[in-house]
Amino acid sequence: MSRLCRIVYCSRSLITGSRADIELKIRTILASARTKNRAANVSGALTFNESCFAQVLEGAIADVAPIFERIRRDPRHCDVRILAQSQAPRRLFPTWSMAYVEPEYGDGRHPLAHFSFEAALINGASNEARQLLESLRQVVTANTEHSVG
Ligand SMILES: Cc1cc2nc3c(=O)[nH]c(=O)nc-3n(C[C@H](O)[C@H](O)[C@H](O)COP(=O)(O)O)c2cc1C
């Protein structure tokens, strides 16, 4: 069995339009990502705060690498910055072809409320990756409390 790897990156969104337009465009990306990731046995999570994306991709390196290369070249975002890329002992999002976590809840209790996408884009480092992974995992595993989908 090939070894599992995990890539965590963040990027700056180039998607424009009204809130509804943006939401629709994100849902379009997600729908296609889920189909392709499922077919390639890739799992992960995506989050978006209206100016930046952060995403976790996990699977066999031979499956994750071509998907990440396509994502990196996608004109809907720029400044793709890898925060972490490593082998992983197990999947953190085993049942998700791509979970979607909306960071805006307005109640201040959301695990991503204190994550700075800007700091991650500028400093991009393992600290940011750890914080992001932990927050996404919390939201995705507690998905009865927070909307994921
Ligand atoms: C932020 C973001 C995240 C994406 N995530 C995925 C993903 O997880 N899997 C995937 O196959 N495509 C993803 N895409 C879409 C790819 O970049 C690409 O458009 C898609 O794979 C189709 O590529 P193709 O037109 O070369 O077949 C994402 C795009 C963006 C902007």
Side-chain angles (χ1 to χ4, degrees), residues 9 11 15 29 32-34 36-37 42 46 53 55 57 67 70-74 76-77 97-98:
Y9 77 85
S11 63
I15 296 177
I29 291 177
S32 137
R34 285 174 173 162
K36 292 187 178 191
N37 294 355
V42 165
L46 174 72
F53 290 104
Q55 190 173 24
L57 293 160
I67 288 179
R70 286 205 307 270
I71 295 174
R72 198 201 268 281
R73 289 196 305 265
D74 194 306
R76 291 170 288 189
H77 63 171
S97 57
M98 192 45 62

Side-chain angles (χ1 to χ4, degrees), residues 51-124:
S51 51
C52 300
F53 290 104
Q55 190 173 24
V56 183
L57 293 160
E58 51 190 19
I61 185 74
D63 298 325
V64 171
I67 288 179
F68 181 64
E69 265 322 297
R70 286 205 307 270
I71 295 174
R72 198 201 268 281
R73 289 196 305 265
D74 194 306
R76 291 170 288 189
H77 63 171
C78 63
D79 297 346
V80 173
R81 176 151 201 161
I82 294 175
L83 302 179
Q85 183 170 24
S86 61
Q87 281 186 17
R90 64 190 167 84
R91 291 179 194 253
L92 291 178
F93 306 94
T95 61
W96 288 92
S97 57
M98 192 45 62
Y100 179 50
V101 176
E102 293 176 63
E104 300 288 326
Y105 285 86
D107 62 6
R109 291 183 302 117
H110 193 284
L112 277 171
H114 304 294
F115 181 74
S116 168
F117 288 78
E118 281 302 325
L121 274 167
I122 294 160
N123 307 323

